[in-house]
Amino acid sequence: MVKKKRKSTLFAIRGDISRRTYTSGVVLIVVIALLFWSVLSYGGFVNRTFLPTPDQVLRQFAIQLQSSVFWNHVGISIFRVGAGFLLACLLGIPLGILAGTFRFAEALLVPPTEFIRYMPATAFIPLIMVWAGIGEWAKVIVIFIGCFFQLMLMVADNTRSVSNDLLQTSYTLGANRWQVIERVLIPALLPDLMNTMRLIIGWAWTYLVVAELVAASSGLGFSIMKAQRFLNTDLIFVGIIAIGLLGLLTDRTFAYCHRRFFPWLEGGR
C-alpha cells in the first residue's frame, strides 16, 4: 500500500507547527538581526559613536547590572508603568463593560472616548504639569492617559462580542439582569479581557520614556535621555533593551496566566 506524502503545514493558512520549528524561527530572526548589527558596527560602515558593537553593549549591560543606580531606575520605572496601568484598568474596565452592556452608556461614553483617543499623550504633558506638578503622579498620569481610552473601547468591544444567545438563554433559565451580568457576561468576556490587558500593558511600556520626560531625575527613560546628551549610545542601547526585556516579561506573565486560567482556549501563547 502506497502511503500518501504528508503535506507540509509550514505555509498553510493557520496551520500548526511544532514547538521546535517555532523556536527555530525565533532564534533565526535574532541571529539575522545580530549579524546585520555586527556587520554594520564591526565592519566600520557606521561610526561606533552612533552604533556601538554588540560586545560593547553586552559589557555595558554587565556593568549596569552591578550598579545600584541602574536597579533604582528599573524599580521606579516598574512602579510608574504598574501604577499607570493599574489606574487605567480600575477605571477603564468597569466603564468598558458598562458601555458594552447598555446602549445608553455606549452613547455617553464611546463618542467622547473615540475623539480623545486620537490625541497623543504627549499633548497633555503641559496640562498635566499644571494640574499635577512634576512629581511621580504626573508621570503616572501620562501613562494612564496613554492606556485608559484605548482600554475602555477595547473592553467595550470584548463585552459586545459575548454571544447574545448566551445572555438570552440565561434569561430563559430564570436569571435576572444582575445575575446575567455577574454570572454569565463577565465570566464569558474574561479570556478576551486578559488578552486586551496583555496588549495594553505593552502600550504602557511604550509610554514610559514619554512619561519620564516630565522633569524626571530617575527611571530608564531618564537614563536613556541622559545618555543621549553625552552620546553614550551603548547606555542608550542598554536602556532600550532593559525596557524591552521588562515588557517581554510582563507579556509572558499575561500569556502564562491566560494558559493557566483558560486552558481550553488556544490564545495566550
Side-chain angles (χ1 to χ4, degrees), residues 1 36 43 61 95 97 140 155 184 198 203 209 226 253 265:
M1 186 175 178
F36 183 67
F61 210 146
L95 290 175
I97 294 174
V140 170
V155 173
V184 180
R198 176 183 173 188
W203 288 352
V209 177
K226 182 179 177 181
T253 300
L265 299 174

Side-chain angles (χ1 to χ4, degrees), residues 54-148:
D55 69 286
Q56 277 182 275
V57 175
L58 189 60
R59 286 198 303 270
Q60 186 61 247
F61 210 146
I63 291 170
Q64 293 303 313
L65 288 175
Q66 301 172 44
S67 168
S68 60
V69 175
F70 174 77
W71 288 109
N72 178 64
H73 289 323
V74 170
I76 196 65
S77 291
I78 290 174
F79 166 76
R80 289 165 180 163
V81 169
F85 173 72
L86 182 60
L87 185 59
C89 288
L90 288 175
L91 294 177
I93 291 176
L95 290 175
I97 294 174
L98 188 67
T101 304
F102 302 106
R103 294 289 291 183
F104 80 89
E106 179 182 348
L108 291 174
L109 296 172
V110 172
T113 304
E114 287 276 13
F115 172 68
I116 296 172
R117 77 184 179 115
Y118 290 106
M119 300 178 184
T122 50
F124 290 94
I125 288 179
L127 281 175
I128 291 170
M129 293 177 71
V130 171
W131 293 338
I134 58 174
E136 285 304 308
W137 274 111
K139 300 161 185 61
V140 170
I141 291 172
V142 172
I143 295 173
F144 164 77
I145 290 175
C147 296
F148 169 75

Side-chain angles (χ1 to χ4, degrees), residues 5-79:
K5 289 185 177 180
R6 187 178 179 182
K7 291 183 179 180
S8 172
T9 60
L10 187 61
F11 296 104
I13 297 175
R14 297 184 180 177
D16 290 329
I17 59 174
S18 66
R19 173 66 65 177
R20 182 178 179 181
T21 303
Y22 186 89
T23 304
S24 298
V26 174
V27 172
L28 178 62
I29 196 65
V30 171
V31 169
I32 290 173
L34 284 174
L35 283 174
F36 183 67
W37 179 8
S38 298
V39 168
L40 290 178
S41 56
Y42 290 119
F45 294 100
V46 180
N47 191 306
R48 294 189 182 184
T49 303
F50 305 107
L51 183 66
T53 59
D55 69 286
Q56 277 182 275
V57 175
L58 189 60
R59 286 198 303 270
Q60 186 61 247
F61 210 146
I63 291 170
Q64 293 303 313
L65 288 175
Q66 301 172 44
S67 168
S68 60
V69 175
F70 174 77
W71 288 109
N72 178 64
H73 289 323
V74 170
I76 196 65
S77 291
I78 290 174
F79 166 76

